[in-house]
Amino acid sequence: MANLMKLEWRKLKRLNIVGEYAVYVAVMLFLPMLFARSVNADFGQDYATITGLIVSMHLSYVLFGASLINQVVIDEFRNRTISLSYGYPIPRRRLFLAKALLISLLVFAGTLLSFVLVGVSTLLLDESFGFIGEELTTGAVAGYVAKAVLHSAAVAVISHIPLFVFGVWKRATIPAVLIAIFLAQFQNLSPLLGLSLDPVLTTAALCLLGLLSAFAAISAIERFGDA
Amino acid sequence: MKDIVHTTGLSRTVKGRKLVADVELRIRQGEVYGLLGQNGAGKTTIMKMLAGHIAPTAGEISLFGQRLTPSSKSALSRVGSIIEYPVFFEHMGAIDNLRLHAEYLGFYDEQAIAQALELVRLKDAGARPVKEFSLGMKQRLGIARAVITKPELIILDEPTNGLDPVGIKDMRDLVRMLNQDYGITFLVSSHILSEIEQVADRIGVVSEGRLTTEMSLEDIAKQRTDYIEIATPQAERAAYLLEHELGIASLKLLGGGRLRVYDLSRSQSEISRMLVLHDVEIEGIQKHVGTLEDYFYHQITGGDRIG
C-alpha cells in the first residue's frame, strides 16, 4: 500500500501542491497576531484562547484536501489517466484506498506542520509584539501539541467529505471546493447564524461523514468508477 | 496454438442499452487478431473489458487461462494496451511516464525503458514533457509503454487514428516486427480496413455489439467478391448469351440494365467480344475487384455475400 501511495504521489503536479501549501502557511503565520492585535485583543488573553483560534484557522486545510481530491481523483477521471491504473493488475479498491490514504496523509502532515510553524511563528511574534497576555507554560505547549495532532487528524478525515459524491461520482471540482469552503467556515460562522454548535460533537459528526464518504468512495468504486 | 484470450457470453449493458452482447472471442497465441466494426459497434467496449478498464455486466473473460474479475486482475500484468488514444501524465517526461508504468507492474529495468524508447525512435525525447509531443509521438510512446514490460498480449484500439501516412506505416511495421520477432500476440481494431488487412491474421467483425463473423484472411481472400459488371439495355439477352455461349453460370441480373458476372473464368475482353458479335449493345463494362471493405460492408449491413 505504501508503494501504491508513493506512485500516486509521483503522478501529481508536486510543485503546484507545495506552492499551494506554502500560500496557506504564509497566510496563517501572521493570522493569530493579526486577530489578537487588530480584530479583538481577547484572542490574545491567554494561550488557551489563541490555541482555539489557531485550531479554527486550521480547519481551512479541508480546502487543501479538496484541492488534493481534485488532483488525485477528479483530474485522473477528467484526463482519463485513470484508465491506465485500471489496466494494472491491481483491484480498483486498492487503488482508491491508496488515493484516499495519500490524501489523508498529505492533509494530516500538512496541517500538523502548519500547526508547528504557526505555533512557532506566533511565539516569535509574541516575543517582538507582545500580544499574548500570559507566560508560556509547559502545560500550554502540551495542550497545543495535543490539539494540533488531534485536529490535524480530524481535518484529514473531514477532508474526505466531498470524495464520494463530488470526487468519484460526479467528478466536479467546483462543488467539491465549495463544500470544502463551507466545511472550513461553517463552525466559525455558526454563531452569526444563531446556531450554537458543540465544537467537539460537530467535529466528531464531520469526521463520521468523512469516514462514510471515504468508505463509500472505495467500496462503490466498481459501480461508479468507470473511466 | 492455444487460446490466450477466451470470452464467453461477454456482455456490457449500460442503462438498459446493450453495448456488447454475448461475444465469444478466441485469440490464439502469436496471432494478430483484427477487430472490425463501424464506430459505435462495440469494439472499444470489448477492448476496454479485455484490458480491465471496465467490467462486463455478464459473461466471462479468460486471459492466459486465468479468469479476469474485478478482484483478480493478475493476468493483466501480461497485457499491454492502448485504448482509444494514448493517455499520459502530460506534465511528466516520457521516461518518467514509462518508469511509473513499469513500477505499477512491479517491473524495474531502466535498460528496458531505454530500449523501448529506442524501439519507437523517441530516445532523444525521453526527458521532454509529454504535453510537448505530437499525436504521432504519443502513439509511439504508447507503444513503448505497452511493450516495456514485455507483455504477451497487446491490445491496440484504432492505433493509426490521427496519424499521417508515415506514422501509419511506422505503426504497421512496429506491430509486424513485435509480432514476428518477439512473438507478441496482438488484438488490433481499426476502421481503416486496408490497415487491418495488412497486419491481421484473423479478423472478427463486430456489429451492434455482437461478434458476427470470425475469419482468417485466407478465408476472406477465397470469398472475395470479384465480378464484372456490364451495363446494357439488353441485360436478359446478354445473360442468356453468357450462359450459352461462354458457359458462365454464376451471374446476376441487378435490374436497371445491369448484369454482374461472378464466374471470372472468362476475361472481360472475351465477354465484350462475344456480346458485340451478337449485336448486344454495351454501355459499360468494368471489372470490380472485391476488397476486404466489400466483405466488411456485407457483414455489417447484412447484405448477401456472393461467392
Side-chain angles (χ1 to χ4, degrees), chain B residues 229-236 253-259 283-284:
Chain B
E229 187 165 307
I230 303 161
T232 168
Q234 299 157 277
E236 282 181 20
L253 281 164
L254 299 176
R258 288 184 306 129
L259 174 72
E283 290 172 347

Side-chain angles (χ1 to χ4, degrees), chain B:
Chain B
M1 270 187 288
K2 65 176 179 180
D3 294 331
I4 61 171
V5 176
H6 182 199
T7 70
T8 46
L10 186 67
S11 305
R12 169 97 180 159
T13 305
V14 176
K15 291 177 184 166
R17 192 172 153 238
K18 279 211 161 187
L19 303 178
V20 170
D22 298 322
V23 168
E24 306 276 334
L25 178 69
R26 286 176 181 271
I27 301 175
R28 298 173 197 142
Q29 189 172 33
E31 75 175 344
V32 178
Y33 188 101
L35 215 47
L36 286 183
Q38 290 175 305
N39 289 336
K43 305 183 299 291
T44 300
T45 307
I46 291 172
M47 291 181 137
K48 278 184 173 177
M49 287 191 277
L50 294 177
H53 294 190
I54 53 175
T57 47
E60 283 185 12
I61 298 170
S62 167
L63 297 175
F64 310 100
Q66 292 173 274
R67 217 183 133 198
L68 184 70
T69 67
S71 56
S72 173
K73 300 170 83 178
S74 59
L76 290 177
S77 60
R78 299 160 76 178
V79 180
S81 63
I82 306 178
I83 309 288
E84 288 181 317
Y85 50 85
V87 286
F88 296 94
F89 296 96
E90 302 255 335
H91 60 285
M92 290 167 62
I95 290 179
D96 288 338
N97 267 283
L98 297 188
R99 208 174 271 147
L100 187 74
H101 171 77
E103 285 187 35
Y104 262 107
L105 292 164
F107 185 87
Y108 306 90
D109 187 348
E110 287 292 319
Q111 212 182 340
I113 291 172
Q115 281 170 355
L117 283 172
E118 198 169 347
L119 183 76
V120 297
R121 293 184 286 108
L122 286 174
K123 201 178 174 187
D124 297 331
R128 278 168 57 191
V130 175
K131 64 183 170 197
E132 293 177 7
F133 281 25
S134 67
L135 178 61
M137 289 168 83
K138 283 182 187 172
Q139 288 280 23
R140 283 189 279 144
L141 186 61
I143 289 277
R145 184 171 57 195
V147 302
I148 200 166
T149 55
K150 300 180 174 60
E152 291 157 68
L153 168 69
I154 294 181
I155 300 170
L156 300 177
D157 183 20
E158 309 265 1
T160 54
N161 255 8
L163 297 184
D164 59 24
V166 176
I168 290 172
K169 186 181 179 308
D170 279 353
M171 186 62 72
R172 190 169 60 222
D173 292 347
L174 206 53
V175 169
R176 272 209 206 106
M177 187 273 284
L178 290 168
N179 176 249
Q180 284 163 15
D181 297 354
Y182 294 84
I184 296 173
T185 307
F186 277 87
L187 170 61
V188 185
S189 76
S190 178
H191 60 270
I192 302 170
L193 302 175
S194 55
E195 282 303 316
I196 283 282
E197 202 173 10
Q198 290 182 63
V199 292
D201 302 310
R202 244 168 14 111
I203 285 177
V205 177
V206 181
S207 176
E208 293 175 354
R210 292 177 185 276
L211 186 68
T212 55
T213 313
E214 268 187 310
M215 287 185 100
S216 70
L217 276 186
E218 279 175 23
D219 291 337
I220 292 168
K222 282 179 200 161
Q223 299 208 28
R224 279 191 160 165
T225 54
D226 295 1
Y227 56 83
I228 293 168
E229 187 165 307
I230 303 161
T232 168
Q234 299 157 277
E236 282 181 20
R237 179 167 151 73
Y240 176 85
L241 288 168
L242 288 167
E243 200 173 338
H244 289 90
E245 294 294 323
L246 297 179
I248 292 170
S250 179
L251 48 81
K252 192 173 182 180
L253 281 164
L254 299 176
R258 288 184 306 129
L259 174 72
R260 273 189 193 168
V261 178
Y262 297 105
D263 176 354
L264 301 182
S265 58
R266 301 294 188 138
S267 70
Q268 192 175 324
S269 56
E270 266 183 286
I271 290 171
S272 5
R273 198 179 312 125
M274 184 276 292
L275 291 175
V276 169
L277 281 174
H278 288 83
D279 294 325
V280 175
E281 188 187 337
I282 300 173
E283 290 172 347
I285 180 164
Q286 194 174 18
K287 186 169 181 186
H288 179 92
V289 179
T291 60
L292 181 59
E293 200 165 335
D294 299 316
Y295 177 78
F296 173 66
Y297 180 79
H298 279 287
Q299 288 300 313
I300 61 170
T301 57
D304 294 328
R305 196 174 64 244
I306 304 153

Side-chain angles (χ1 to χ4, degrees), chain A residues 53-66:
Chain A
L53 173 68
I54 294 173
V55 165
S56 296
M57 280 162 39
H58 277 74
L59 266 176
S60 302
Y61 280 96
V62 173
L63 203 57
F64 181 52

Side-chain angles (χ1 to χ4, degrees), chain A:
Chain A
M1 186 51 64
N3 196 36
L4 277 181
M5 288 165 67
K6 207 163 72 184
L7 292 171
E8 287 292 340
W9 169 243
R10 276 175 46 191
K11 291 180 197 172
L12 300 178
K13 294 173 183 164
R14 296 188 292 276
L15 271 180
N16 290 4
I17 290 173
V18 172
E20 182 186 339
Y21 178 71
V23 171
Y24 282 106
V25 173
V27 170
M28 286 205 188
L29 285 177
F30 302 98
L31 273 186
M33 183 180 76
L34 187 78
F35 271 77
R37 281 172 64 92
S38 309
V39 178
N40 192 328
D42 287 350
F43 281 117
Q45 66 186 346
D46 53 31
Y47 278 99
T49 310
I50 201 113
T51 298
L53 173 68
I54 294 173
V55 165
S56 296
M57 280 162 39
H58 277 74
L59 266 176
S60 302
Y61 280 96
V62 173
L63 203 57
F64 181 52
S67 171
L68 288 170
I69 288 173
N70 182 45
Q71 276 212 46
V72 176
V73 178
I74 299 172
D75 273 358
E76 281 240 51
F77 281 113
R78 202 171 285 155
N79 303 331
R80 311 191 76 162
T81 47
I82 197 75
S83 62
L84 295 175
S85 303
Y86 289 168
Y88 298 132
I90 303 163
R92 282 188 194 182
R93 285 184 179 185
R94 269 178 68 80
L95 288 168
F96 275 80
L97 180 60
K99 285 179 185 291
L101 287 175
L102 178 70
I103 293 168
S104 305
L105 182 68
L106 290 175
V107 174
F108 175 75
T111 311
L112 191 59
L113 178 63
S114 174
F115 264 113
V116 172
L117 295 173
V118 172
V120 170
S121 78
T122 304
L123 286 180
L124 291 175
L125 290 168
D126 183 48
E127 287 285 309
S128 308
F129 301 101
F131 53 87
I132 302 175
E134 69 173 4
E135 289 297 308
L136 182 63
T137 61
T138 317
V141 173
Y144 183 82
V145 170
K147 285 199 166 176
V149 174
L150 202 68
H151 282 272
S152 297
V155 169
V157 178
I158 292 169
S159 294
H160 288 87
I161 290 177
L163 179 63
F164 173 58
V165 176
F166 299 112
V168 169
W169 186 11
K170 299 292 180 189
R171 301 163 194 180
T173 303
I174 292 172
V177 171
L178 291 177
I179 286 287
I181 292 172
F182 172 76
L183 291 170
Q185 293 305 323
F186 96 102
Q187 283 200 71
N188 298 334
L189 299 179
S190 58
L192 299 177
L193 302 169
L195 295 170
S196 172
L197 298 172
D198 181 285
V200 176
L201 280 180
T202 308
T203 304
L206 291 177
C207 285
L208 186 66
L209 268 180
L211 280 174
L212 284 174
S213 169
F215 178 75
I218 294 162
S219 58
I221 195 62
E222 295 295 343
R223 190 172 164 208
F224 292 99
D226 279 350

